[in-house]
Amino acid sequence: MMAERSGHVVVCGIGAVGFRTVEQLHASGIDVVVVDGGDEPEPVTEHLLGLWEIPRVAGRPRDALVEAGVEQAAAVVVVPDDDLVATETALLARRLAPGARLVVRVANRAVGRALAEVTGRGSVLDVAALSAPSVVEACLGQRPHPVEMGGRTFVVATLEAPRVGTLRALFDDLAPLAVAGPDPEQVICPGRDHRVPAGARVTVIGTEEQFAAVGRPVEPVGPVPHRAGARSAGAERAARRDEEGGRATVLTVLRTLLAEAERPLKVTAGVLLLLFVASVFVLRSGYVKPDGSHMTWVDAVYFSVETIGTVGYGDFSFAEQATWLRVYAIGMMFLGVVLAAVLFALLTQLLVSSSIERSVGRRRIGAMRGHVIVVGLGAVGIGVLEGLLAAGARPVVLERDPANRHLARARELGVPVVTGDATDTAVLSSINLREATAVAVLTSDDLVNVEAGLAIRDQLRDRWPAVPVVLRMFDRDLSEAVEEGFAFRYVRSTAALAAPWFVGAALGLDVLGTFYVDRIPFMVGRLAVGPALDGVAMRELSARTRVVALHRAGAGTLEHPPRRDTRFAAGDDAYVVGPYSELLALLRPDGQASE
């Protein structure tokens, strides 16, 4: 039996997201108990759990939850990879610990919506939906990122310093989040009196009015739509452009049929064509009409088709012709019927096969320019497609598995799909990689992603520095090695992007959004100010966090931007931004902000 404990966090599932969640909870000084389904974790994971002295309970969900002390837990995080296991565990956890904060990972949106009715609003999170926006932003470049705080829309944007000066003089009330200049190291959440050189890239947050006040108006990019079947105005524009530039015409289909036809079909069609041509010449020269004249070329063509097709309208007949011509007609009808039957059978097989669809798709894509290639169509890939369409981009899918269950959804969205291997240079050429504006490699295999990324880099050649190539990676050490060793600028881990949401929800931080500033992940959250922060001034918080706004409980107003001497009051809602490790430090058990 496990020793009695209370106020701890129970994490169910020790996959990629579960391990990252445990890691961040442990780093924040939170007491954690891991529950899994009995499968042995990865050796490295098991070693680290032992090193951190985090207990692990295996067994049936109900028994394991009880042994983990779920009744006394402050929060339960349910993050197994299987939706069925997650649903069962979440329902049991809600029944056993109705007062604990509960956050659940579910990939199926319909299941997630139904489960949220039982477990509570905002308790169900989708890893794909959480991580897809970051991939979209990387593909489309630094774009204004909207975040809603206290009923107001704030925007995160990266601006260029027009001249040398302090951030206060250059950007007024816009809150600085990061500065990237000539120095290799970024300055995170600098003070407003921090001086920057001309041309420095400064990431700031503020309202649209504040951006307009400094002469830098922005138009925020809307959130990714998640409603099934919804298509934004940007998606409609992209669809229209695609139809205009790459519509599969009749000529395209005919070329495709010739390209995809296999040898038996080509041989059959060739023999039938030879029989037809021979029959036209034989009938033109040998057939004698009742008036003694010969057939015209049109009559010969017509009667050849009529005979091979065995339709026999009665306008021509071999009854009164020479014996040799009647014998020839017997052979022509017999051979024509056999060849036509075989031809139609092979042609039907080709038309109903997926190869014709793949080839038509490739020919459509061959005419496209400025498209975004998405390699690997999983749950994250679908989220990225929806985000790209919402932003008005033109995505193209490259998927290895022709039986992938998400292909129907991609086609429903009107996205061209090509089946093939992303490491094959011929396949990359067929999807017009050289004219693409970005590539997102999102398969579930790290090694495949690295191999595909290197093949793409090799094919892009001189365009490599200008084309964003986003790699999805699970292993953190490998992702860092790939970034440094192969100069990939956009390596994204879905587990690393999603874990802060689960940790924040478990500790009482209402996560509102995540985004990257270069390679550093930032998080925006709403924090209910408790007694531990009552009376604490802004300047006493970590230098790497930024309080953007305060919603005063007494006055019911939104105060922004707060000043250094502004103090928290119990019951307020604080809207904070910063690297997620710094924000989680605000939720440490001792309630003290990190220094």
Side-chain angles (χ1 to χ4, degrees):
M1 282 294 293
M2 185 177 298
E4 289 290 334
R5 62 182 72 211
S6 63
H8 57 295
V9 176
V10 177
V11 178
C12 305
I14 196 63
V17 177
F19 177 74
R20 288 295 180 92
T21 302
V22 170
E23 180 184 40
Q24 292 174 18
L25 287 169
H26 174 72
S28 299
I30 307 299
D31 187 15
V32 184
V33 177
V34 171
V35 170
D36 63 44
D39 296 333
E40 289 296 321
E42 295 289 333
V44 174
T45 300
E46 189 171 20
H47 170 73
L48 290 174
L49 291 179
L51 187 66
W52 297 335
E53 298 181 348
I54 295 176
R56 181 173 68 90
V57 181
R60 299 179 60 181
R62 182 183 181 87
D63 297 337
L65 285 171
V66 171
E67 186 177 349
V70 70
E71 295 92 340
Q72 291 79 40
V76 182
V77 180
V78 183
V79 285
D81 294 330
D82 190 295
D83 279 2
L84 181 60
V85 175
T87 302
E88 178 189 8
T89 306
L91 293 174
L92 287 172
R94 175 54 74 216
R95 185 186 307 168
L96 294 171
R101 286 189 292 270
L102 178 62
V103 56
V104 190
R105 168 192 180 178
V106 174
N108 187 293
R109 294 174 186 172
V111 174
R113 286 191 294 268
L115 185 60
E117 296 176 3
V118 179
T119 58
R121 181 177 177 272
S123 62
V124 179
L125 301 178
D126 177 6
V127 170
L130 299 178
S131 55
S134 176
V135 177
V136 173
E137 288 181 4
C139 288
L140 302 181
Q142 269 307 351
R143 298 158 65 85
H145 183 90
V147 182
E148 186 175 327
M149 303 183 193
R152 293 290 305 276
T153 298
F154 288 73
V155 182
V156 179
T158 299
L159 307 177
E160 187 174 291
R163 59 184 183 278
V164 177
T166 64
L167 294 174
R168 188 189 308 278
L170 296 176
F171 302 110
D172 199 22
D173 283 337
L174 293 173
L177 300 179
V179 174
D183 297 330
E185 291 295 327
Q186 279 188 325
V187 181
I188 303 300
C189 294
R192 295 178 187 275
D193 294 324
H194 180 81
R195 291 183 64 84
V196 295
R201 291 180 295 109
V202 183
T203 301
V204 293
I205 184 171
T207 64
E208 294 181 57
E209 293 78 12
Q210 289 172 336
F211 277 94
V214 296
R216 310 293 285 272
V218 294
E219 182 179 348
V221 179
V224 177
H226 295 303
R227 179 166 51 86
R231 297 188 68 174
S232 67
E236 296 294 347
R237 289 194 301 270
R240 285 197 298 271
R241 289 198 306 266
D242 186 50
E243 290 174 2
E244 293 169 1
R247 183 181 290 111
T249 62
V250 174
L251 185 60
T252 300
V253 174
L254 291 176
R255 287 200 304 265
T256 301
L257 285 172
L258 291 175
E260 292 294 326
E262 297 181 354
R263 179 177 172 80
L265 178 58
K266 293 179 179 179
V267 171
T268 302
V271 174
L272 185 59
L273 179 62
L274 287 176
L275 175 64
F276 169 75
V277 172
S279 297
V280 170
F281 279 95
V282 169
L283 293 175
R284 172 70 176 84
S285 59
Y287 191 95
V288 180
K289 294 182 180 181
D291 60 1
S293 63
H294 289 280
M295 279 187 167
T296 65
W297 286 109
V298 175
D299 288 340
V301 171
Y302 171 76
F303 194 28
S304 296
V305 173
E306 188 179 45
T307 304
I308 293 174
T310 66
V311 290
Y313 295 112
D315 40 7
F316 292 104
S317 172
F318 287 100
E320 304 297 331
Q321 301 300 310
T323 302
W324 70 269
L325 190 56
R326 293 200 303 272
V327 172
Y328 174 81
I330 293 171
M332 180 175 67
M333 286 186 283
F334 178 78
L335 187 59
V337 168
V338 172
L339 289 173
V342 173
L343 178 68
F344 289 139
L346 294 174
L347 187 59
T348 300
Q349 180 183 9
L350 174 63
L351 289 174
V352 300
S353 69
S354 59
S355 59
I356 186 69
E357 179 184 1
R358 291 197 304 267
S359 187
V360 170
R362 289 182 184 179
R363 292 178 185 276
R364 287 179 62 195
I365 296 164
M368 294 179 70
R369 301 290 186 274
H371 53 295
V372 179
I373 299 172
V374 177
V375 180
L377 196 58
V380 175
I382 287 294
V384 170
L385 286 185
E386 293 176 344
L388 291 171
L389 289 170
R394 304 169 65 194
V396 170
V397 170
L398 176 58
E399 168 58 42
R400 175 182 291 183
D401 182 9
N404 185 301
R405 66 187 182 92
H406 296 288
L407 289 177
R409 174 59 178 157
R411 295 189 180 100
E412 179 187 345
L413 292 170
V415 177
V417 177
V418 172
T419 304
D421 189 343
T423 62
D424 188 335
T425 56
V427 173
L428 294 176
S429 177
S430 72
I431 59 177
N432 212 9
L433 173 64
R434 292 284 295 173
E435 298 295 334
T437 57
V439 184
V441 186
L442 308 173
T443 78
S444 57
D445 189 310
D446 280 0
L447 184 58
V448 171
N449 290 343
V450 172
E451 186 179 2
L454 292 175
I456 289 167
R457 185 182 71 169
D458 182 65
Q459 290 296 302
L460 287 173
R461 298 173 189 168
D462 57 317
R463 294 191 67 226
W464 163 251
V467 178
V469 177
V470 186
L471 296 187
R472 173 187 181 182
M473 302 293 292
F474 293 88
D475 186 275
R476 181 171 57 186
D477 294 334
L478 178 60
S479 66
E480 293 176 354
V482 168
E483 279 185 316
E484 297 175 3
F486 298 127
F488 282 96
R489 292 169 292 159
Y490 307 103
V491 180
R492 298 290 186 262
S493 165
T494 53
L497 286 166
W501 292 75
F502 291 94
V503 175
L507 300 184
L509 180 68
D510 185 7
V511 180
L512 303 177
T514 56
F515 58 91
Y516 268 78
V517 177
D518 288 339
R519 296 183 179 181
I520 300 178
F522 276 64
M523 186 165 64
V524 184
R526 178 176 58 214
L527 173 66
V529 178
L533 289 176
D534 189 15
V536 175
M538 298 293 121
R539 63 175 179 274
E540 298 176 45
L541 296 180
S542 166
R544 291 168 61 89
T545 59
R546 178 78 63 199
V547 179
V548 178
L550 279 173
H551 187 272
R552 295 298 189 181
T557 58
L558 189 68
E559 182 180 330
H560 71 91
R563 304 304 178 184
R564 286 176 52 82
D565 294 329
T566 302
R567 295 183 178 274
F568 292 108
D572 291 346
D573 283 334
Y575 294 92
V576 290
V577 183
Y580 63 74
S581 58
E582 303 293 336
L583 294 192
L584 296 180
L586 293 174
L587 306 175
R588 286 166 42 185
D590 57 13
Q592 300 301 315
S594 62
E595 297 297 336

